[in-house]
Amino acid sequence: MRTARAAQGLISRALFLPRGIPSSFAGASTAALAAERRNRWWFPPNAATVKSVPVGIAGAVSFSLTFSTVAEAKERPPTDRLPKEVVLYQYQACPFCNKVRAFLDYHDIPYKVVEVNPLSKKEIKWSDYKKVPILVVDGEQLVDSSEIINKLNHRINPNDAATNEEEAEWRRWVDDHLVHMLSPNIYRTTAEALESFDYFSKIGNFSFTEKFAVKYMGAAAMYMVAKKLKKKYNITDERAALYDAANTWTEVLNGRDFLGGSKPNLADLAVFGVLRPIRYLQAGRDLVENTKIGEWYDRMDRAVGDPSRINA
């Protein structure tokens, strides 16, 4: 019973749950996937399950970079503005952690990662703040993904005082709307819930026993939680709601490569960050096949580039 309660607690606090419901979610590229991600979009890294994107489908990815006009270089800040030491305390399957990683990767800011065990949270016992992400920058603790990004952005761009209302509006949309579409979709059926938790149990910081509990008890718990989330957010058709969110985003781009124009802005990075984990899941595969978001995502993947994470 203790293990079952702990597993359910993990779900409530950690995986794919937006603010307003208990806590967070994510998933990100690893060095092993760096080469794969340039040629594949939102499919599992297992070679047996990776599929090619059918030619002609809506949102199909263009694999040729020959005629790309997008500015794809990382936006590394001047050396004197780079923090000396950055440590990210995270869950690998947390959208808000993934937002922070997308920002760090795009700006090529080196950072170390401490993977937090969502059951014991022993890695963050030193902090009064018991959620993730926690980012420690030169000894200073920063919390809340949007605030973390605001403070880091001000540090590396101190003269950028202009307020971009469009950018701010769509950053709020990510936190207040887009994130709420994820849980009802990745836990939509028992099969999808098991697929999700099989992935989470492999990438998270769990013992062997915890992995079993997380996969099966967690999947069962979140399948039920997803039904409550549908009701809470007045969602009748999970996939339709997810597709509508993706289409809303691509429509607001209005022909631009990014919301930021020729290069990503903070809203682009936020959308990319929270969507990145589900590329391994059925919901992600369905999303790219049924919307036009794939081309934008592919541009973002190239712009963000390889992780700037360093070994602890």
Side-chain angles (χ1 to χ4, degrees), residues 15-16 93 182-183 185-203 214-215 218-219 222 277-278 280-283:
L15 300 177
F16 288 91
L182 302 180
S183 291
N185 274 279
I186 66 171
Y187 308 122
R188 183 179 61 150
T189 66
T190 54
E192 286 181 277
L194 278 170
E195 177 198 33
S196 300
F197 274 90
D198 180 61
Y199 171 56
F200 301 153
S201 66
K202 290 175 180 175
I203 64 172
V214 165
K215 178 177 178 178
M222 281 309 294
I278 71 170
Y280 300 118
L281 306 175
Q282 185 62 52

Side-chain angles (χ1 to χ4, degrees), residues 235-256:
I235 298 171
T236 54
D237 184 324
E238 303 95 323
R239 284 296 197 267
L242 182 63
Y243 300 161
D244 285 347
N247 289 331
T248 295
W249 176 248
T250 54
E251 287 169 10
V252 79
L253 295 176
N254 194 28
R256 293 172 288 183

Side-chain angles (χ1 to χ4, degrees), residues 16 25-27 94-95 98 199 272-281:
F16 288 91
F25 115 17
C94 158
N98 224 7
Y199 171 56
F272 176 74
V274 301
L275 289 181
R276 191 156 54 171
I278 71 170
R279 69 175 180 265
Y280 300 118
L281 306 175

Side-chain angles (χ1 to χ4, degrees), residues 1 5 20 23 34-35 41-42 59 74 93 98 124 135-136 145 148 153 163 171 177 192 199-200 222 290 292 301:
M1 286 298 295
R5 287 195 299 270
S23 205
W41 198 83
W42 287 14
K74 287 174 176 279
N98 224 7
I124 54 173
L135 194 72
V136 179
S145 62
I148 289 171
N153 191 56
T163 300
R171 288 181 70 193
H177 180 75
E192 286 181 277
Y199 171 56
F200 301 153
M222 281 309 294
N290 290 278
K292 298 179 179 179
D301 197 40

Side-chain angles (χ1 to χ4, degrees), residues 12-186:
S12 324
R13 297 190 304 269
L15 300 177
F16 288 91
L17 288 182
R19 283 184 216 136
I21 310 181
S23 205
S24 23
F25 115 17
S29 300
T30 65
L33 294 176
E36 288 287 346
R37 67 184 184 176
R38 283 174 170 72
N39 296 317
R40 297 185 177 96
W41 198 83
W42 287 14
F43 294 103
N46 185 328
T49 55
V50 172
K51 302 178 183 178
S52 298
V53 180
V55 175
I57 62 172
V61 176
S62 171
F63 297 118
S64 173
L65 308 186
T66 305
F67 301 104
S68 174
T69 59
V70 178
E72 294 174 5
K74 287 174 176 279
E75 292 286 317
R76 187 178 177 88
T79 303
D80 61 342
R81 295 178 190 168
L82 277 173
K84 292 181 174 62
E85 184 178 34
V86 178
V87 182
L88 175 63
Y89 293 81
Q90 66 156 26
Y91 302 141
Q92 187 71 7
C94 158
F96 301 110
C97 299
N98 224 7
K99 280 170 55 184
V100 174
R101 285 206 312 273
F103 179 91
L104 293 170
D105 291 340
Y106 177 63
H107 290 287
D108 205 21
I109 299 173
Y111 61 98
K112 300 175 183 176
V113 167
V114 176
E115 190 67 24
V116 176
N117 181 307
L119 300 176
S120 68
K121 295 190 176 182
K122 63 183 180 181
E123 294 81 4
I124 54 173
K125 285 190 182 299
W126 55 270
S127 174
D128 291 334
Y129 189 79
K130 299 305 179 185
K131 298 180 181 180
V132 293
I134 297 174
L135 194 72
V136 179
V137 180
D138 294 339
E140 179 186 2
Q141 174 181 282
L142 306 179
V143 300
D144 183 278
S145 62
S146 293
E147 283 304 306
I148 289 171
I149 291 168
N150 288 342
K151 290 177 180 179
L152 280 179
N153 191 56
H154 178 71
R155 175 168 178 158
I156 64 176
N157 298 299
N159 299 321
D160 187 11
T163 300
N164 185 325
E165 290 298 332
E166 181 184 48
E167 180 182 51
E169 175 187 353
W170 289 99
R171 288 181 70 193
R172 290 192 296 270
W173 175 82
V174 172
D175 291 343
D176 297 340
H177 180 75
L178 180 59
V179 171
H180 297 307
M181 301 299 106
L182 302 180
S183 291
N185 274 279
I186 66 171

